[in-house]
Amino acid sequence: MDVGTSSSVDVRLEVGATAQAVDVTAAAPLLSTQDAVTGQEVDRTLINDLPLVGRAIFDLAFLAPGVIQAPGATFGPQNNGNNFVSNGGRNATAEVLIDGVAATTYEPNTGINTVLYTPSVDAVQEFKIMQNNYTAEEGFTGNTYVNMVLRSGTNQYHGSVYDFLRNDKLDANNFFTNQAGGKIPPLRRNQYGLTFGGPIKKDKTFFFVDWDATREHAGSTHNAGVPSALEKQGDFGEVCGYNGGKFDANGECFQVNPDGSWARDEKGNLILGTQLWDPYSGQYVAGTGRVLQTFIPFNNLATFQSAGNSNLDRTPYQLAAAPGNLIDPVALKMIQYYPAPNVNVGTPLYDPYNNWSGSGINLGTNDQFDVRIDQRFTDRTAFNARFSYAQGTYHGMNCFGNALDPCTQGPGVGGSRSIALSLNHTFSPSTLLNVSVGFTRGLSDTKGIAADYPNFSPVTTLGLPSYMLSSGTLASPVVYIYGGYAQASGEALGAQAWSVYKNGNQVYHLLATLTHMQGRHELKFGGEWRENQMNWYQVGVPEGTYIYDFDGTSQYPYGGTGGDALASFLTGVGSPSTWGEYEIASHFSTQNYRWGGFVQDNWRATGKLTISAGLRYDLEIPRTERYNRGTNIDPSLSVPIHPAAVDPSTWPSLLPLPDVTHDPAKGWLGILEQSPTPHRGYTL
């Protein structure tokens, strides 16, 4: 009998004469006339013979009609097993049962089901994709069920040993990589294991075990725009020539023609080149916004002394009167973590915005096993138990080879635990009871790059304020450098944002079904209970996210050829048009309950007509925090905390600033200036 299949077989016994015959016949496949469920049965033959990328068992779901990839999804073990679109339904909502108990639960986003355990291909006996119109027995899903059964032992001992190899030596190069003269990315992937099963006591007790291991080394290449040795010290003189410019005698950058003469506009004025401007020399110009007034001679931050801003006098935010006072000390330390340029350096092909390339290895391991015991107590009572265990590690390539690398998320571990118990008891030839109970847990724990550098501290190493440790998670600030610079991995420098992640996700499942045959009626009654629990922590930016663009050091806020994003970063003055973030995240542990009950009648009205009718009721309780640590907003309550009144006489120089007002009851209103680094600039 196939998994999840309802079928009818009529048996007629007649006394006949003894005869011997050999018949060779070709029969049409069994047409399911017992219900209206559509889908695809995948048996052991298909599982064993069909090729699979990374031997990902859930990819066989794509054999079912109407099942296609979700946008942006991939094949292989990296893809969440149920992340497919079935008959137009929403992806990642399919329910997965393994040996009759749930193997899925919620992600932090409630509308997404995530698969907690993925068995080895060699451990699966068969599974069925059930799409739409399934009976009242199935619930808590979108429009698709994946019902999977693992292998069990028999009265014969059987075993297997396997090793699947993927290696770049056996691969063809990517067409475009080959065209550019690049090499095949390195790949070393071995997936090996064994299975063994047989009797413990013949006809009574059986066992089956399997073990599967994966070892993978996969190459990765990243590109970036990095500062030169002079730029790391504050000398950005070379950026003047990026767009065909040179300095005049005063150190101001103007564009030149190919013949070396100064370029002029239609009015005869010199055309500015890539010139840096003092971000503290801004004045408000109606219709334009902030306009910087003082250029930095020869684009050299190290020798230039800024006068600061008179509005900052008598505040701790005024610049010290010394050469190089525009250089932020934290940014100066951080910029040293950039590697040196290594692409086309010293050649006409040199591109300062994409001048570095690095390759490395992503490491991954996984070990898992299943143990299943089947016991026939009597001819009427059968029991089976399964325990599954998986444990793996992952570590992405460290592009820069230091604690401020933007490519890796640091070491990661993950795993699964699954228990399934099932009891079948036959009361009579027409009445059968099935009771199943199970528990499945999945764990993801990405520790962040700081786990590789235990001596690193954003306070002692970089000089950030001590309150940056309040998040409880060690990391470096996350820096984005725009303005045309290539970023190594979507970020330019610092720990990857949202890379520290821990999620222990688990589901408890209890269900019972009573089946009774009464004449032409197959009656089923049952119910189930689930408890979904999640222990989750993710701090997106424990030490802050800071964004820099050319307009931090350009004369005008949103245009022109002046300014440079890396120079803006070194001053610590972020882009006026972007945002920043600092987060202190909380740990939380949530739970919710699900109850379901059903009655189903499959009535064989005639030999050609079966009517399947059922009623199911599901009750799903919203999530609650198990330790009562949740918060909510009640708009009807008055806020008990009010800002203290600020005496305008304490900062009288702030009054001339535009868009800033003072209210005796609420204090200063309006943003004076954004400061991406916590100890530079000022914010209201």
Side-chain angles (χ1 to χ4, degrees):
M1 179 66 70
D2 292 331
V3 59
T5 299
S6 297
S7 58
S8 176
V9 179
D10 297 326
V11 179
R12 177 179 297 176
L13 301 178
E14 296 181 350
V15 178
T18 302
Q20 183 175 5
V22 177
D23 295 327
V24 179
T25 61
L30 177 65
L31 177 65
S32 177
T33 60
Q34 306 308 304
D35 52 50
V37 179
T38 61
Q40 178 72 44
E41 180 78 29
V42 183
D43 60 20
R44 182 67 205 157
T45 301
L46 290 174
I47 294 171
N48 192 59
D49 294 344
L50 288 176
L52 289 171
V53 176
R55 292 172 51 77
I57 184 66
F58 287 110
D59 280 356
L60 291 175
F62 294 98
L63 295 175
V67 176
I68 61 174
Q69 275 191 333
T74 61
F75 295 105
Q78 286 74 31
N79 187 42
N80 189 29
N82 66 347
N83 190 25
F84 52 75
V85 174
S86 176
N87 288 344
R90 180 176 174 179
N91 63 302
T93 59
E95 178 62 50
V96 176
L97 299 180
I98 301 179
D99 289 334
V101 299
T104 56
T105 187
Y106 296 129
E107 268 196 339
N109 303 303
T110 306
I112 299 175
N113 267 3
T114 183
V115 179
L116 300 179
Y117 178 65
T118 301
S120 165
V121 173
D122 290 77
V124 178
Q125 178 63 33
E126 58 182 333
F127 71 90
K128 184 173 183 179
I129 312 297
M130 296 185 290
Q131 304 165 286
N132 309 97
N133 299 320
Y134 36 73
T135 65
E137 292 179 72
E138 289 82 27
F140 303 126
T141 183
N143 67 338
T144 301
Y145 249 80
V146 179
N147 200 346
M148 183 177 295
V149 175
L150 300 194
R151 297 170 66 182
S152 59
T154 65
N155 275 329
Q156 301 285 332
Y157 289 106
H158 292 280
S160 65
V161 178
Y162 59 88
D163 185 5
F164 291 85
L165 169 68
R166 292 177 61 190
N167 192 292
D168 59 273
K169 305 302 182 188
L170 307 175
D171 296 340
N173 202 357
N174 176 277
F175 173 81
F176 298 102
T177 303
N178 187 66
Q179 187 180 47
K183 297 181 179 180
I184 301 175
L187 174 63
R188 311 283 191 275
R189 179 182 173 88
N190 286 82
Q191 192 166 5
Y192 49 88
L194 56 85
T195 67
F196 187 64
I200 297 176
K201 184 177 182 180
K202 192 173 182 179
D203 295 330
K204 288 291 186 179
T205 309
F206 312 91
F207 77 94
F208 180 84
V209 297
D210 69 274
W211 168 66
D212 185 272
T214 302
R215 302 293 183 268
E216 181 173 1
H217 292 194
S220 182
T221 300
H222 295 264
N223 303 307
V226 302
S228 66
L230 288 175
E231 290 174 335
K232 286 184 177 182
Q233 304 306 316
D235 185 354
F236 285 82
E238 60 195 69
V239 305
C240 176
Y242 289 172
N243 298 305
K246 69 177 183 180
F247 294 112
D248 65 6
N250 297 320
E252 190 169 6
C253 182
F254 293 97
Q255 294 185 20
V256 295
N257 296 314
D259 61 3
S261 61
W262 297 109
R264 298 179 182 273
D265 60 20
E266 64 277 4
K267 296 181 179 180
N269 299 318
L270 294 177
I271 302 175
L272 277 171
T274 307
Q275 174 64 54
L276 302 185
W277 296 78
D278 181 355
Y280 286 81
S281 65
Q283 289 187 7
Y284 177 76
V285 177
T288 301
R290 184 272 288 149
V291 177
L292 303 183
Q293 305 297 314
T294 305
F295 73 89
I296 300 173
F298 302 101
N299 289 345
N300 194 335
L301 300 174
T303 58
F304 175 71
Q305 179 175 320
S306 172
N309 191 303
S310 60
N311 294 315
L312 297 177
D313 290 342
R314 295 190 297 161
T315 75
Y317 306 108
Q318 182 60 283
L319 299 179
N325 59 354
L326 280 180
I327 297 178
D328 184 282
V330 173
L332 181 63
K333 291 180 180 179
M334 292 181 66
I335 203 171
Q336 309 308 317
Y337 285 81
Y338 269 113
N342 62 6
V343 177
N344 297 323
V345 179
T347 72
L349 298 177
Y350 180 72
D351 179 2
Y353 300 104
N354 197 345
N355 57 2
W356 176 87
S357 180
S359 298
I361 301 295
N362 300 319
L363 304 176
T365 69
N366 184 67
D367 290 275
Q368 64 183 75
F369 67 84
D370 303 283
V371 179
R372 174 166 169 152
I373 302 293
D374 290 79
Q375 173 70 42
R376 291 182 58 86
F377 294 107
T378 67
D379 290 340
R380 292 190 172 192
T381 305
F383 173 79
N384 65 74
R386 172 185 55 83
F387 174 71
S388 301
Y389 176 95
Q391 186 75 24
T393 63
Y394 177 79
H395 201 305
M397 148 190 188
N398 189 317
C399 295
F400 294 172
N402 56 52
L404 267 64
D405 173 73
C407 300
T408 183
Q409 296 182 345
V413 297
S416 302
R417 314 288 185 268
S418 180
I419 299 173
L421 308 175
S422 181
L423 176 69
N424 290 286
H425 180 71
T426 302
F427 292 100
S428 69
S430 60
T431 306
L432 172 68
L433 173 67
N434 171 263
V435 179
S436 297
V437 61
F439 166 79
T440 305
R441 173 179 170 83
L443 171 66
S444 297
D445 186 2
T446 305
K447 302 179 183 300
I449 189 175
D452 289 330
Y453 299 91
N455 295 325
F456 173 84
S457 168
V459 175
T460 59
T461 306
L462 299 180
L464 288 169
S466 59
Y467 69 77
M468 299 299 284
L469 300 177
S470 299
S471 68
T473 299
L474 289 179
S476 68
V478 182
V479 176
Y480 295 85
I481 304 292
Y482 295 155
Y485 285 95
Q487 302 187 103
S489 184
E491 298 166 0
L493 188 65
Q496 275 200 8
W498 291 274
S499 62
V500 178
Y501 177 81
K502 188 171 185 177
N503 189 356
N505 221 339
Q506 56 201 38
V507 56
Y508 298 86
H509 193 192
L510 172 65
L511 67 159
T513 302
L514 180 68
T515 303
H516 179 69
M517 305 298 297
Q518 182 71 41
R520 292 177 174 267
H521 294 268
E522 180 192 25
L523 302 173
K524 291 189 176 184
F525 309 89
E528 63 179 302
W529 165 86
R530 300 188 192 188
E531 181 179 357
N532 300 87
Q533 293 184 348
M534 181 167 55
N535 304 282
W536 187 84
Y537 174 76
Q538 184 177 32
V539 53
V541 282
E543 312 305 335
T545 296
Y546 311 113
I547 300 175
Y548 301 89
D549 209 336
F550 73 94
D551 50 4
T553 49
S554 65
Q555 185 177 22
Y556 297 99
Y558 308 112
T561 58
D564 180 82
L566 270 173
S568 298
F569 165 57
L570 198 54
T571 67
V573 178
S575 172
S577 58
T578 57
W579 58 275
E581 179 181 354
Y582 170 69
E583 178 183 357
I584 299 178
S586 61
H587 296 73
F588 65 82
S589 301
T590 65
Q591 66 184 7
N592 81 300
Y593 297 97
R594 291 167 151 184
W595 286 273
F598 70 91
V599 57
Q600 177 73 34
D601 182 9
N602 295 322
W603 173 35
R604 189 178 180 187
T606 69
K608 296 182 178 180
L609 175 64
T610 299
I611 298 175
S612 179
L615 177 65
R616 181 181 181 94
Y617 182 78
D618 289 337
L619 177 62
E620 187 163 340
I621 306 301
R623 294 184 190 182
T624 58
E625 219 288 329
R626 296 205 303 274
Y627 305 105
N628 198 29
R629 294 177 299 189
T631 60
N632 68 305
I633 298 176
D634 186 345
S636 65
L637 296 178
S638 61
V639 179
I641 301 175
H642 299 280
V646 178
D647 183 0
S649 64
T650 58
W651 281 9
S653 59
L654 294 179
L655 295 177
L657 286 179
D659 303 323
V660 178
T661 59
H662 182 269
D663 186 292
K666 298 181 179 180
W668 291 101
L669 302 178
I671 296 177
L672 301 180
E673 185 174 335
Q674 181 185 8
S675 174
T677 51
H679 69 297
R680 295 295 296 271
Y682 46 95
T683 304
L684 285 182

